[in-house]
Amino acid sequence: MQNASELGMAVATLNDVSVAYNGRQALGPIRFQVNSGETTALVGPSGCGKSTALRLLAGLESPSKGQVIRNVAKGETAVVFQAPTLAPWETVLNNVALPLRLAGVAQDVAWERAHAALSRVGLKDAAGLKPAQLSGGMAMRVSIARALSMSPKLVLLDEPFAALDEITRRKLADDVTSLWSGARPAVAFVTHSVDEAVFMADRILVMSPAPGQVVYEASVLAGFPRPPHFRTTEIFRRTVEQVSDALARSMGAP
Amino acid sequence: MTRPLDMLAPLALSAVIIGVWELACRALSVPIYLLPAPSDISVALVSNAPLLFSSAVVTLWAALSALLVSALFAFPLALAAALSPLVERAVRPLAVTLQVTPLVAIAPLVVTWAGLDHPEYATTALAAVVAFFPLFSGALTGLKSADPDLERLFDLYGATPVQRLMRLRVPASAPFVLEGVKVGVGLSVIGAVVAEISAGSGGSQGLAWRIVETTHQLRMAETFAALVALSMLAVILHAVTQYAETQILRKWRGR
């Protein structure tokens, strides 16, 4: 059970935030928050500013207008990009230990925690390999293990499974949601897949085409962990339908 | 089954050229001081082998020491330029100017500065000048080549500038640095040769001097023998660097 005072606390908030590039509005105004113990999915058409919203939450980008409130320290945020983004010259273990080493954690402690993180994503035997020796799915798991290694309070995933095949994708989604079953950080992730959003999230924000705004919000009323057959339940089917409809409307369908 | 053919094709072409050359020289009775036949060159190559070998060592040494000197300047400068855009803006035009100025044009100047007693200084300096740009440019490109998302992660994890340099930029630069070294090695041989020729005296006893000396005396078979030795030196050097690059990169990326 999660500490009640921690549950639902805003970890990062976008307060009427807009972003413009070269005078062209790319995002917003948008207002939402991500809460501890909750997974928020951002769904929307290509180029609507989903990834920008994620970078704002991460503190990697500044808004043109509005306010980003982050109640987490820099080192407590983890980002998983669409590509695994591993250092090709380092072993899997060193890649996972990287955030800890950068934070000044001693090597043996960092390695111990990295081994633990690798076990959680089912890759404890891959510690000595280099990224080039991994499959796409394995590399993505390493990337997720790296994000987990530092016990972050805020986890941001930018289309983490987009480059993977359907089977690997589902398996990873199953595994990642099972990771949330313990003490859960605030999670926000961007995806093109409505199925994935409904399967992995508590809350889904549907965005309009650029400049993206939140046009629909859905809650998935089901707890974690979610077994693979959650995809066959009525609640899953109904939520997918609602979100798909909202997405179609946001893209101008009648 | 293209592989044996692939290897055979260049050999066959060389054999044809050498055969035609040999036949033409004999049939047309071309004087040996104009164009020696391949058989004459082979004889010169064998009979001059010890001299050519020691000359090749001189040229090789000049090229490698020049590469070292060049690296001592190029790598720290590339590092400074990667860390500070101001330094890059200051250094780049000079590096480019150095790169595009023909080496033969500055050779007499450098040879004069080095003095008649020390032509080896001139060879090293000139070879270092031509090797500089690929080393500098390779290292600078490499230092700036790190995956932007990895850079973002380093931002996120609050990496210090030193951590970013040592854990990200320097290791990420390895493939580019190695490529620069490979090009630099080839150019440093060219630089050494140009310098030896410009020095125009027997002070340096490298392969280029053998070429100058024998041409002046119309001993063309020996000129060609020295040329063959020079090509072989360059080819071997390239092969060794290529092999080292492949091995290091294999270790770098784990396969």
Side-chain angles (χ1 to χ4, degrees):
Chain A
M1 263 315 281
Q2 202 134 13
N3 189 334
S5 66
E6 270 187 21
L7 193 71
M9 244 178 52
V11 171
T13 307
L14 301 188
N15 227 342
D16 294 324
V17 162
S18 306
V19 174
Y21 297 118
N22 303 322
R24 223 186 106 254
Q25 184 91 343
L27 173 73
I30 189 169
R31 169 200 279 267
F32 70 91
Q33 62 183 52
V34 290
N35 303 318
S36 59
E38 190 179 65
T39 302
T40 306
L42 294 174
V43 186
S46 292
C48 73
K50 305 183 291 282
S51 298
T52 308
L54 221 54
R55 282 198 297 273
L56 289 166
L57 290 171
L60 288 170
E61 198 165 316
S62 306
S64 314
K65 260 189 217 147
Q67 198 185 14
V68 179
I69 305 163
R70 284 167 43 82
N71 298 321
V72 278
K74 251 195 166 177
E76 293 172 332
T77 307
V79 180
V80 177
F81 297 101
Q82 182 173 342
T85 319
L86 304 173
W89 57 88
E90 297 278 24
T91 59
V92 163
L93 186 67
N94 278 330
N95 266 294
V96 175
L98 179 76
L100 297 163
R101 296 289 287 140
L102 290 178
V105 175
Q107 180 162 289
D108 48 343
V109 179
W111 278 356
E112 203 184 305
R113 287 171 66 182
H115 273 301
L118 281 170
S119 300
R120 287 178 72 186
V121 299
L123 278 182
K124 64 178 194 298
D125 296 331
L129 299 178
K130 294 266 178 102
Q133 294 166 301
L134 307 174
S135 69
M138 285 166 89
M140 214 56 230
R141 280 167 196 272
V142 174
S143 189
I144 291 166
R146 178 178 57 195
L148 296 175
S149 72
M150 37 186 297
S151 316
K153 290 193 175 153
L154 175 61
V155 179
L156 303 166
L157 305 111
D158 190 355
E159 298 194 44
F161 314 133
L164 305 174
D165 62 85
E166 186 62 26
I167 295 169
T168 314
R169 220 181 147 116
R170 286 207 166 194
K171 177 86 182 81
L172 259 180
D174 290 349
D175 291 354
V176 168
T177 41
S178 76
L179 293 173
W180 301 162
S181 52
R184 288 170 62 194
V187 180
F189 76 101
V190 160
T191 179
H192 277 296
S193 158
V194 174
D195 283 29
E196 205 167 272
V198 175
F199 184 72
M200 290 178 66
D202 297 287
R203 196 160 63 109
I204 299 158
L205 305 178
V206 177
M207 291 172 69
S208 64
Q213 292 174 313
V214 176
V215 290
Y216 184 79
E217 184 172 339
S219 293
V220 187
L221 302 169
F224 287 91
R226 290 177 186 166
H229 62 74
F230 175 61
R231 293 189 182 88
T232 59
T233 59
E234 175 60 22
I235 189 165
F236 179 83
R237 197 192 55 72
R238 208 174 49 235
T239 320
V240 167
E241 213 171 86
Q242 286 166 1
V243 173
S244 301
D245 285 350
L247 191 60
R249 278 198 307 275
S250 91
M251 292 168 79
Chain B
M1 293 303 284
T2 51
R3 246 189 97 70
L5 203 67
D6 282 349
M7 283 167 57
L8 221 58
L11 288 177
L13 181 64
S14 307
V16 167
I17 291 173
I18 290 172
V20 170
W21 180 355
E22 181 76 42
L23 285 176
C25 282
R26 287 177 187 224
L28 302 171
S29 308
V30 180
I32 193 169
Y33 58 83
L34 276 184
L35 181 67
S39 54
D40 301 322
I41 297 169
S42 312
V43 172
L45 204 54
V46 172
S47 59
N48 285 292
L51 181 64
L52 288 175
F53 183 78
S54 63
S55 304
V57 169
V58 170
T59 303
L60 178 66
W61 176 243
L64 291 184
S65 55
L67 199 67
L68 191 70
V69 169
S70 208
L72 287 177
F73 284 95
F75 292 153
L77 260 179
L79 205 59
L83 293 176
S84 152
L86 193 68
V87 174
E88 187 187 352
R89 273 197 288 278
V91 171
R92 204 170 251 293
L94 291 178
V96 170
T97 309
L98 207 61
Q99 152 81 353
V100 297
T101 306
L103 191 66
V104 278
I106 50 170
L109 204 58
V110 177
V111 169
T112 311
W113 288 338
L116 289 176
D117 302 337
H118 295 288
E120 73 274 12
Y121 291 176
T123 38
T124 306
L126 284 167
V129 165
V130 275
F132 177 80
F133 191 79
L135 295 183
F136 172 77
S137 179
L140 182 56
T141 309
L143 286 167
K144 291 170 29 172
S145 73
D147 180 344
D149 278 342
L150 264 179
E151 294 265 13
R152 273 189 209 115
L153 277 183
F154 273 67
D155 284 341
L156 193 71
Y157 298 140
T160 63
V162 175
Q163 284 178 325
R164 184 184 296 268
L165 192 68
M166 299 316 291
R167 288 183 169 271
L168 177 62
R169 296 206 172 152
V170 168
S173 74
F176 296 86
V177 169
L178 291 170
E179 194 59 35
V181 168
K182 197 168 72 181
V183 177
V185 166
L187 285 179
S188 69
V189 173
I190 295 177
V193 166
V194 166
E196 281 177 21
I197 290 177
S198 303
S201 78
S204 76
Q205 292 284 325
L207 279 175
W209 172 246
R210 297 274 89 84
I211 293 170
V212 173
E213 181 189 34
T214 52
T215 335
H216 285 167
Q217 298 165 6
L218 295 181
R219 284 149 51 197
M220 291 305 182
E222 286 161 69
T223 306
F224 273 92
L227 261 177
V228 171
L230 190 57
S231 308
M232 273 162 56
L233 174 69
V235 167
I236 290 170
L237 213 50
H238 181 83
V240 169
T241 340
Q242 177 81 59
Y243 178 77
E245 184 189 15
T246 315
Q247 291 303 312
I248 294 170
L249 282 184
R250 183 168 295 169
K251 204 167 155 41
W252 186 83
R253 65 167 80 92
R255 70 162 188 204

